[in-house]
Amino acid sequence: MAANTLPSGVSIYPIPAFTDNYIWCVHNEKHAVVVDPGDAEPVLAYLKKNNLSLSAVLITHHHRDHTGGIAKLASALPDLPIIGPRGGHIRGITKSVSQGDAVALPLLSMSLHVMEVPGHTLDHIAFLGHGLVFCGDTLFSAGCGRLFEGSPEQMHHSLNKLKRLPEDTQIYCTHEYTRANVNFALAVEPNNAALQQYSDWVDTKRAADEPTLPTTLGQQKAINPFLRSHELSVKTSAEAFSEQSLNDDIAVFAAVRRWKDEF
């Protein structure tokens, strides 16, 4: 797996939350930033155990399992910068950001850029830089987020924005959905050798109770049906599922997304 270009001494740890969420904690030996803290308790416990001070919170979208810990973290740490989507609809955000904005994290010697990726929700953003992207619930390993608010066109466009990043970009999404996603991907592309190999790797990781994340964009382009709607194998399966011919990539994507919702 490609090395990201994090500053020296900075690492990223997945703090487990709920049944399958990861709250990503980016830290050096003193300071930490967390992404999508749906629950404050595991964050506070991790900070205390590792003697870290929280210097910022990043939020990708408004769903409760990504924002539920904001109030408690803010009350425990006055003046905590909480950076997230514009709109004023997420209580506790202190700095709203949108497409192209830079987010400086000086205590970690990092700077991330904001990419708007609507589809799962209309307010969804991703934070990218240093060879990685925190993409919330937009892109998963072998999957993508359910379309709660956006259209298939919006989500397809957002995924294409992510697809244009370098192949070795590390994908930090926020759910351990990989096993179920791979099962579906195998239904779409049963003859995809890269996917079969990845499936075996996922089994090994999950049997050891280890995260399957991060993944890389290059890996996802080889195995993720939602990034492969231009491939004949995906189109053929989507047409069989929908029992009609599909004339463009967006129609294929929409059919595959509908199929996954019913899978």
Side-chain angles (χ1 to χ4, degrees), residues 1 57 89 106 153 190 228:
M1 191 167 281
V57 170
H89 56 295
E153 289 85 351
R228 295 171 57 80

Side-chain angles (χ1 to χ4, degrees), residues 7-262:
S8 177
V10 174
S11 58
I12 304 178
Y13 178 80
I15 301 173
F18 310 117
T19 53
D20 52 37
N21 282 65
Y22 292 132
I23 301 166
W24 295 108
C25 181
V26 190
H27 66 87
N28 54 24
E29 291 179 3
K30 291 183 182 176
H31 303 284
V33 171
V34 294
V35 183
D36 287 346
D39 185 357
E41 295 298 339
V43 173
L44 292 169
Y46 184 78
L47 295 173
K48 184 177 181 183
K49 179 184 173 188
N50 293 280
N51 202 22
L52 298 168
S53 63
L54 188 61
S55 64
V57 170
L58 305 180
I59 301 292
T60 62
H61 66 292
H62 67 80
H63 284 162
R64 184 81 184 155
D65 63 320
H66 297 251
T67 62
I70 290 176
K72 185 159 191 173
L73 291 174
S75 64
L77 302 152
D79 303 321
L80 178 68
I82 298 168
I83 302 155
R86 61 185 173 173
H89 56 295
I90 302 175
R91 184 174 294 176
I93 293 239
T94 64
K95 182 184 180 185
S96 299
V97 290
S98 54
Q99 177 72 35
D101 286 348
V103 175
L105 304 171
L107 294 175
L108 297 179
S109 303
M110 291 177 68
S111 179
L112 301 173
H113 281 83
V114 175
M115 177 189 285
E116 291 181 358
V117 284
H120 176 67
T121 62
L122 293 179
D123 68 342
H124 209 305
I125 59 175
F127 298 91
L128 63 129
H130 303 278
L132 58 87
V133 59
F134 296 106
C135 57
D137 289 358
T138 297
L139 175 63
F140 294 128
S141 184
C144 77
R146 206 177 264 262
L147 302 183
F148 285 113
E149 295 172 10
S151 66
E153 289 85 351
Q154 283 175 311
M155 186 59 129
H156 187 257
H157 179 67
S158 293
L159 292 173
N160 276 344
K161 285 169 81 170
L162 290 167
K163 258 175 92 170
R164 288 194 284 272
L165 296 173
E167 296 250 321
D168 59 357
T169 301
Q170 300 232 339
I171 309 293
Y172 286 87
C173 51
T174 37
H175 289 279
E176 185 56 70
Y177 287 165
T178 310
R179 181 67 262 165
N181 286 343
V182 166
N183 290 345
F184 173 71
L186 284 166
V188 179
E189 286 192 286
N191 300 317
N192 182 330
L195 178 58
Q196 293 164 356
Q197 191 176 357
Y198 186 69
S199 177
D200 293 341
W201 177 84
V202 169
D203 282 343
T204 302
K205 295 292 277 187
R206 296 311 293 151
D209 200 28
E210 293 175 2
T212 59
L213 303 167
T215 180
T216 64
L217 182 61
Q219 175 84 76
Q220 291 309 303
K221 285 162 79 170
I223 63 143
N224 189 327
F226 297 102
L227 298 183
R228 295 171 57 80
S229 44
H230 59 289
E231 296 285 350
L232 183 60
S233 50
V234 175
K235 181 176 186 282
T236 303
S237 285
E239 288 180 335
F241 165 77
S242 58
E243 298 180 337
Q244 59 180 318
S245 61
L246 302 168
N247 297 325
D248 58 41
D249 291 355
I250 292 171
V252 172
F253 173 82
V256 175
R257 184 60 257 179
R258 197 165 64 248
W259 184 3
K260 175 69 167 73
D261 291 345
E262 300 171 12

